Amino acid sequence: MSIRHGLLALLERGPRYGSQLRTEFESRTGSTWPLNVGQVYTTLARLERDGLVAPGGEDAAGHTLYAITDDGRAELHQWYGRPVDRAHPPRDELSIKLAMAVGAPGVDIRAVIQSQRHATIKAMQDYTRLKATALAAVESGQSRERDDVAWLLVLEQLIFQTEAEARWLDHCEARLVRLSRPADGGAAEPVPPQAAAGAEAPAPTTTDRPRTARTRRS
């Protein structure tokens, strides 16, 4: 998530001070990417250095306001129109963990996969429940629609991401089973149903309470 451009997007709606920007950023993204005030002010200082924002006076409480400049507005709209660069993907802890676990002495990599699959499916269920709550708020008209629609889009991306992760874990398990088959053609260890069929994740339940920062808005 580009904090730099996220703050520019909020400032395009009007001058704001640091803690206000943090609150609005977290509201728009459902606290999926929490910020601290120090992080916000560090980013604002860099934006000011680059000529993308400028101090815009003070509010009635004495807070220093920041306003987007013409250069900042141009940079923001270039960002909107520019595809996200995939040439240098961010490091993914799960991928690194499985890569290091392959062949590591004393590590049951299939147990690692099973444990992660359970956590991934649980997260998917939590996100699905939160999506239902956000969708109901939007459709009822009893919400801050802009923020709730934004949060709904973030939730749907997280759901798609966890679905893809679950399928990838099934693929990893199937791949390891195939690679472990004896060279002489002997019997191989049976493939678990999830790995063999790429089974769909179980439907979300309604008994567990989601454990994400957005729960407070339910």
Side-chain angles (χ1 to χ4, degrees):
M1 179 63 192
S2 174
I3 307 303
R4 174 185 177 93
H5 292 98
L7 297 186
L8 285 175
L10 294 172
L11 288 172
E12 191 179 35
R13 299 168 59 187
R16 281 157 171 73
Y17 55 88
S19 59
Q20 185 179 14
L21 286 167
R22 181 191 66 173
T23 299
E24 291 190 19
F25 183 94
E26 293 187 350
S27 177
R28 185 66 64 88
T29 61
S31 297
T32 303
W33 300 283
L35 299 178
N36 60 58
V37 172
Q39 193 175 8
V40 171
Y41 278 107
T42 298
T43 304
L44 285 172
R46 291 171 180 165
L47 289 170
E48 184 179 359
R49 176 200 64 193
D50 296 339
L52 304 181
V53 305
E58 296 183 348
D59 66 4
H63 298 116
T64 300
L65 299 173
Y66 291 84
I68 191 169
T69 63
D70 289 341
D71 286 347
R73 191 170 286 105
E75 167 65 22
L76 175 63
H77 286 274
Q78 288 175 11
W79 177 63
Y80 282 141
R82 185 170 60 240
V84 174
D85 183 11
R86 300 297 183 191
H88 303 286
R91 294 181 181 89
D92 179 77
E93 182 180 356
L94 178 56
S95 298
I96 294 171
K97 180 189 290 188
L98 293 188
M100 297 301 170
V102 173
V107 176
D108 182 350
I109 190 170
R110 294 184 67 186
V112 174
I113 291 172
Q114 294 278 7
S115 175
Q116 182 62 49
R117 182 188 289 113
H118 176 78
T120 299
I121 291 173
K122 178 61 170 62
M124 191 191 313
Q125 292 170 342
D126 287 347
Y127 295 146
T128 301
R129 284 190 291 272
L130 285 171
K131 175 185 172 181
T133 300
L135 190 58
V138 170
E139 292 179 343
S140 70
Q142 299 176 353
S143 69
R144 292 179 296 174
E145 187 171 348
R146 186 195 297 259
D147 284 351
D148 281 298
V149 170
W151 171 227
L152 187 60
L153 295 178
V154 170
L155 277 171
E156 289 173 335
Q157 190 272 343
L158 292 171
I159 290 169
F160 288 138
Q161 189 177 62
T162 50
E163 286 175 344
E165 183 172 283
R167 290 196 299 272
W168 177 68
L169 289 167
D170 291 342
H171 167 79
C172 290
E173 190 166 38
R175 172 75 70 190
L176 290 167
V177 169
R178 287 196 297 273
L179 292 176
S180 67
R181 287 173 180 164
D184 60 5
E189 187 177 358
V191 180
Q194 299 98 322
E200 293 290 333
T205 64
T206 58
T207 55
D208 296 328
R209 181 172 180 79
R211 295 174 295 147
T212 72
R214 192 66 173 188
T215 301
R216 63 178 180 270
R217 298 189 55 193
S218 302

